[in-house]
Amino acid sequence: MKLQPPVRRSKENNMLIDAVTMRALEIRSTLKDGVVGGVGTLLKTVRRTVTRGGTRRLGSWLTSPETSVKIINDRLNLVEHFIASPKLLEDIRYKLKLTHDSQRLVQKMSLGRGDADDLVSLARTIIQTQDIVDCISSHLPRKKESLEVVKELIGRIEKLEELAARILRKELMTEKQLLETRLLDESMLSEHLVALKWTPSLGHILHIKSRTLPDMTEGILSSAISVGSSKSTHSYHLPEWTKLGSRIEMARLAIRAEEQKVLQDIRKQVILNIHALRRNAAVLDELDIAAGFAVLAKESGWVRPILNMSTEHKIVGGRHATVQRSLDDLGRTFVANDCWVGGEEGMWIITGPNMAGKSTFLRQNALISILAQTGSYVPADHAEIGIIDQIFSRVGSADDLYRSQSTFMVEMIETAYILKNATPRSFVIMDEVGRGTTVDDGFAIAGGVVRYLWEVCGCRVLFATHFHGLVELVEGWEKEEGKGKGKGKGKGRKKIGAYCTDLVEDEKGGWMFVHKLRKGVNKRSHAVKVARMAGLPQLALKTAEDILKAEKFKRGG
Ligand SMILES: Nc1ncnc2c1ncn2[C@@H]1O[C@H](COP(=O)(O)OP(=O)(O)OP(=O)(O)O)[C@@H](O)[C@H]1O
Ligand SMILES: [Mg+2]
């Protein structure tokens, strides 16, 4: 058995996404039911692959995006080439559909399994692969530097036609056919024979249909012994038939043995070519992913991201691919939002009412980065992204009672991990850190976390919170640092920007969410409105409103 060496993933070559973030961003499985590739996952939303291998590799690419600008651009060049050549795109996807999962097939062979059908599938895939290479080559313009990647990719394909021809024409077929003909010839009774059955006491006996019986009673059946009859069939025994039956059995065994021998021989040939077959399969996977990304970009109107080595994240008109799809299905419109962190402002503190899109905004920016570094176009009007080494997220609350961790403890463990590991090249999204405890303590913790991220980590941060007081707090620190508004100096720390979502009300008491982010702070959460929308009983709502009024009065509001 041949095992594949493990693939090493390192911070130098891949964007690291820890398990918590993977779950929170619903990349492969949903938070709710954990279904891999289910509705609501990034994988499901962006998957347009047509082969199993392509889908598998897409799942692995999305969970470990690249950090090399060159590799990402190579991938994007291929996607762009497919977008620019619709006929090629259509042909390639059609041809890819005709291939089989050769990774799985060779794995079967290397485990000593795999039947004649598997071998034929493998042979057809080899032939199809060559066809795909020819098709791509014929569409390649002579001199175009950006398409060197395409040449390099198809150049990796190893020619294996000889193996394919060997499988398809080999004795496997001819030998089997030969023996089968012999078997038929030897059973001279074939045209009358319904079935030659074996019984322990009489050996082989013949079952004959009642309607063919009159033609036969004069001939061969005259010396046979009747051993039973039913309305439709009659059974006869004759010693010669027992002999014939045994010969047929022998022939069948010979076929099986021959088949096994030939199969074994071809399996060996396949195993000798296992590396080439796997390499070819990998190329097909990459083509499938790129073609899928091209289809996705065209149907969704996505743009090609610009990747660079800065630490900026500049998105114009960004969208959340999955939320947008679900809103589209409901006939609602997704409101696009811009995001520019890592430039003048290193961190954005986002406030706003419940249900107004803070968490969605945080996630969409993380997902856009992941898609970009995977080599896909992205859901935005313009995207410039400085390569990210690691994405961190602290969103949602989940307790792990089995490991004796309360909700707040889990939140703190995850936050500590982020603060200790984030580098200036990292991207951090934090959603309502500090909400799992009293308001005062939660506010204090949130302040401590923001200050550490700003002062020590210096990474790109999107921080959504209902603690609007945080904005005043950080303005105080910025002043302290001599980096107050407009001064632009200090210890090289970037500014912290304050942005918010809104809720607009009319005179008649109607209201709606404004999902568009604007500069500033929103001090109102409008939680009671959301609670009413959710169907909280009238008495509970009324009490909540009274408490709110009393609190406001106490604070002199
Ligand atoms: N940009 C947008 N355009 C249109 N609808 C949006 C947008 N962002 C979010 N929504 C809708 O609003 C819902 C709630 O969004 P989200 O969970 O992001 O709100 P939130 O501000 O984080 O609320 P909370 O403070 O309660 O956590 C989403 O499920 C989606 O249906
Ligand atoms: Mg939220």
Side-chain angles (χ1 to χ4, degrees):
M1 181 173 50
K2 295 210 171 187
L3 293 176
Q4 281 179 277
V7 181
R8 185 184 290 272
R9 303 242 186 268
S10 68
K11 223 180 195 168
E12 286 72 46
N13 301 322
N14 295 98
M15 177 203 276
L16 298 186
I17 311 174
D18 58 81
V20 174
T21 305
M22 196 91 74
R23 255 201 325 273
L25 294 178
E26 303 188 300
I27 295 176
R28 275 169 64 88
S29 53
T30 46
L31 267 174
K32 208 168 177 189
D33 45 23
V35 178
V36 174
V39 177
T41 59
L42 180 69
L43 178 58
K44 169 88 179 170
T45 308
V46 303
R47 188 182 84 82
R48 296 293 180 277
T49 43
V50 292
T51 67
R52 283 197 196 175
T55 306
R56 262 199 315 272
R57 195 170 295 267
L58 174 64
S60 121
W61 276 14
L62 286 174
T63 49
S64 60
E66 285 295 325
T67 48
S68 147
V69 175
K70 157 102 178 61
I71 294 178
I72 300 168
N73 278 334
D74 279 351
R75 289 183 184 175
L76 288 167
N77 285 345
L78 183 57
V79 178
E80 190 172 309
H81 179 51
F82 279 137
I83 294 176
S85 333
K87 177 78 179 71
L88 171 68
L89 179 61
E90 196 184 317
D91 286 354
I92 291 298
R93 279 166 59 86
Y94 175 74
K95 288 175 198 297
L96 280 167
K97 273 187 205 158
L98 299 179
T99 63
H100 297 265
D101 191 349
S102 35
Q103 287 278 18
R104 283 281 179 268
L105 290 174
V106 293
Q107 195 171 332
K108 252 181 164 180
M109 306 286 158
S110 69
L111 292 169
R113 297 204 305 262
D115 56 19
D117 284 346
D118 290 334
L119 282 167
V120 172
S121 302
L122 198 60
R124 297 216 170 109
T125 305
I126 294 172
I127 294 166
Q128 204 58 38
T129 306
Q130 198 49 47
D131 196 20
I132 289 171
V133 169
D134 295 343
C135 178
I136 294 182
S137 308
S138 67
H139 277 80
L140 267 183
R142 281 262 164 79
K143 276 187 190 159
K144 195 158 180 201
E145 227 172 80
S146 64
L147 293 181
E148 280 306 310
V149 53
V150 186
K151 280 189 207 150
E152 188 273 326
L153 193 67
I154 54 176
R156 269 161 46 197
I157 294 278
E158 291 201 31
K159 288 192 186 285
L160 293 166
E161 282 106 327
E162 221 175 274
L163 177 64
R166 198 171 146 75
I167 295 173
L168 291 179
R169 98 174 105 75
K170 184 69 186 166
E171 309 88 60
L172 179 67
M173 305 299 156
T174 43
E175 196 71 35
K176 188 173 177 225
Q177 274 160 7
L178 237 150
L179 281 164
E180 272 171 353
T181 329
R182 217 174 92 201
L183 191 145
L184 272 178
D185 287 349
E186 284 179 7
S187 58
M188 301 92 76
L189 298 170
S190 56
E191 74 265 32
H192 297 298
L193 183 141
V194 173
L196 192 59
K197 293 220 166 133
W198 189 82
T199 62
S201 53
L202 295 168
H204 284 84
I205 60 167
L206 208 60
H207 285 274
I208 295 175
K209 273 186 193 153
S210 300
R211 61 183 163 79
T212 58
L213 201 58
D215 309 338
M216 301 176 71
T217 39
E218 289 305 307
I220 42 173
L221 287 186
S222 55
S223 51
I225 305 155
S226 171
V227 290
S229 68
S230 71
K231 207 172 173 189
S232 57
T233 60
H234 292 264
S235 307
Y236 288 92
H237 174 251
L238 199 69
E240 285 94 284
W241 291 338
T242 306
K243 274 191 219 144
L244 179 63
S246 313
R247 286 180 62 197
I248 291 174
E249 277 310 316
M250 299 286 284
R252 208 167 275 148
L253 285 176
I255 289 175
R256 210 161 294 152
E258 191 62 29
E259 252 185 9
Q260 283 311 316
K261 209 173 110 239
V262 177
L263 265 177
Q264 203 53 34
D265 180 38
I266 300 185
R267 268 198 215 115
K268 250 189 228 155
Q269 294 298 318
V270 169
I271 291 168
L272 281 177
N273 287 291
I274 202 160
H275 294 301
L277 283 162
R278 279 190 174 141
R279 263 198 301 274
N280 287 4
V283 174
L284 291 193
D285 294 349
E286 288 187 34
L287 286 171
D288 191 17
I289 297 175
F293 279 163
V295 170
L296 177 69
K298 273 168 81 164
E299 77 186 30
S300 318
W302 290 7
V303 295
R304 179 177 173 150
I306 299 161
L307 280 305
N308 55 44
M309 288 313 289
S310 74
T311 51
E312 288 192 40
H313 176 94
K314 200 183 211 175
I315 309 292
V316 179
R319 279 109 54 196
H320 188 302
T322 314
V323 175
Q324 183 174 22
R325 183 126 315 150
S326 85
L327 289 183
D328 280 352
D329 291 345
L330 297 169
R332 288 167 54 195
T333 324
F334 188 90
V335 179
N337 271 308
D338 306 344
C339 178
W340 188 3
V341 275
E344 199 177 329
E345 293 168 341
M347 181 189 307
W348 276 20
I349 293 182
I350 300 148
T351 49
N354 290 109
M355 281 287 286
K358 300 181 297 298
S359 306
T360 308
F361 178 75
L362 258 53
R363 287 184 167 98
Q364 87 189 25
N365 283 291
L367 291 174
I368 287 174
S369 314
I370 290 173
L371 281 172
Q373 288 188 219
T374 300
S376 165
Y377 279 34
V378 295
D381 298 334
H382 177 82
E384 275 179 60
I385 296 167
I387 292 290
I388 294 169
D389 63 354
Q390 196 162 356
I391 286 206
F392 295 95
S393 75
R394 174 45 239 164
V395 305
S397 57
D399 19 62
D400 197 343
L401 298 181
Y402 178 72
R403 292 193 180 81
S404 314
Q405 289 168 1
S406 71
T407 311
F408 185 68
M409 185 65 178
V410 171
E411 185 178 329
M412 286 304 103
I413 289 174
E414 289 177 11
T415 308
Y417 173 77
I418 299 173
L419 299 190
K420 283 184 201 154
N421 290 286
T423 73
R425 194 160 276 296
S426 303
F427 191 91
V428 175
I429 58 170
M430 290 214 164
D431 201 357
E432 299 186 31
V433 165
R435 73 170 158 189
T437 184
T438 61
V439 178
D440 287 350
D441 286 8
F443 177 75
I445 296 270
V449 170
V450 166
R451 180 140 198 169
Y452 194 90
L453 284 167
W454 174 63
E455 252 185 42
V456 183
C457 302
C459 50
R460 286 161 272 187
V461 184
L462 296 179
F463 195 100
T465 184
H466 287 288
F467 298 129
H468 45 80
L470 272 181
V471 175
E472 273 170 45
L473 201 66
V474 301
E475 279 171 357
W477 300 333
E478 283 180 329
K479 279 189 190 131
E480 250 174 58
E481 294 279 344
K483 194 175 183 303
K485 280 180 202 160
K487 286 190 184 163
K489 45 185 201 288
K491 292 184 185 167
R493 277 174 209 130
K494 290 176 175 163
K495 287 185 188 172
I496 300 180
Y499 292 81
C500 65
T501 49
D502 274 312
L503 183 145
V504 285
E505 294 169 281
D506 58 29
E507 316 82 57
K508 290 181 197 143
W511 53 271
M512 60 180 275
F513 294 115
V514 180
H515 294 112
K516 194 87 191 160
L517 234 68
R518 67 168 169 87
K519 230 176 176 353
V521 192
N522 195 329
K523 298 192 174 173
R524 294 190 62 193
S525 76
H526 298 277
V528 178
K529 290 194 180 67
V530 178
R532 179 168 287 119
M533 213 165 88
L536 225 68
Q538 200 50 42
L539 178 61
L541 291 169
K542 175 80 181 62
T543 314
E545 276 169 341
D546 290 346
I547 296 173
L548 260 183
K549 270 186 211 146
E551 287 291 316
K552 245 187 195 169
F553 182 74
K554 251 198 271 172
R555 278 187 261 118

